[in-house]
Amino acid sequence: MKTFIITGASKGLGSAIAKQCLRTGDRCILISRTIDPAFEVLASSSDSKLSFIPTDLKETEKLSSLVKGILTEVDEKSDLYFINNAGIIDPIKPIGNLGQECLESSMKVNFMAPIVLTDEFIKQTSDSDRKKVVVNISSGAAKNPYHGWAAYCSTKAGLEMFTRVAGLEQDKVPFPVCLISFSPGVMDTEMQGTIRSADEHDFVDRDKFQDYKEKGMLRSPELVASTLLQLLEGEDLENGKFYDIKDLL
């Protein structure tokens, strides 16, 4: 049995992953502010077990108890896949115009939430001898600077290094968690819509991203979800590694 715990599951990649897992009968625990009613229909038709936990990831002080509550629900023999998918692109502004409130939201959702959830997941499953995988959804922005994306690039870069350190550490423990970063590339999601609507003075590469949409260069979330799930099926995941979808297609 497999259990998938997915943040940001209400739309985009998180939704696509959840729907594919439900179709194959896997257990899904979805963490987001809202839920798509289609999930319940899929779960019923495929006899899958579905749980939805309404959560605002900016409330990081609640995440420790969230993980504890999740783990009390899952079968002790179930393989566990924790997918930190939730993320926000805002603020798209050059440095000097970020604003503390928007910057703090970016830091909490893109960085603090996934590392707190991962820290608690590792701590609370440390004596559990089963397959345990954490996937931190990354981005090319973790490795490359973009004008106007200081918050997004910085938080993704921080999460990338956190994943590498955690993978290094986990290779030395008796019952390790395997942690990977996964970069989905450019997808046809609401985040891309936000990017295309940014002010060109705030984001100088806006026209390039508009071209991606107009020329049909955006991958569907369904394709990306399928590629990730195929990767997770393998037994040779390298702990701490950055996996880029371009190398998997």
Side-chain angles (χ1 to χ4, degrees), residues 215-233:
K215 295 177 180 178
M217 298 171 66
L218 300 178
R219 299 184 184 93
S220 71
E222 291 73 24
L223 172 64
V224 176
S226 176
T227 304
L228 173 58
L229 292 173
Q230 289 176 24
L231 174 66
L232 297 180
E233 284 289 331

Side-chain angles (χ1 to χ4, degrees), residues 160-199:
E160 164 63 14
M161 182 54 73
F162 174 84
T163 305
R164 290 170 60 185
V165 172
L168 179 71
E169 294 174 348
Q170 285 296 296
D171 269 345
K172 298 176 174 62
V173 302
F175 305 124
V177 175
C178 180
L179 302 100
I180 65 168
S181 297
F182 176 75
S183 176
V186 287
M187 285 186 295
D188 197 5
T189 62
E190 286 187 17
M191 182 180 287
Q192 283 292 318
T194 301
I195 292 169
R196 293 192 299 272
S197 65
D199 187 291

Side-chain angles (χ1 to χ4, degrees), residues 40-52:
E40 296 180 354
V41 176
L42 276 173
S44 178
S45 63
S46 60
D47 199 27
S48 301
K49 192 169 183 181
L50 170 68
S51 299
F52 169 61

Side-chain angles (χ1 to χ4, degrees), residues 65-118:
S65 59
L66 173 69
V67 175
K68 184 176 181 179
I70 288 171
L71 293 175
T72 60
E73 289 189 25
V74 301
D75 187 288
E76 292 183 357
K77 296 181 180 179
S78 176
D79 292 340
L80 298 176
Y81 298 84
F82 203 125
I83 303 178
N84 284 307
N85 164 74
I88 55 176
I89 187 70
D90 289 321
I92 302 178
K93 296 281 185 181
I95 297 169
N97 297 285
L98 295 172
Q100 183 173 337
E101 184 176 349
C102 289
L103 188 56
E104 287 181 352
S105 292
S106 175
M107 294 291 180
K108 287 179 178 179
V109 175
N110 294 340
F111 183 64
M112 280 300 298
I115 70 171
V116 171
L117 290 169
T118 300

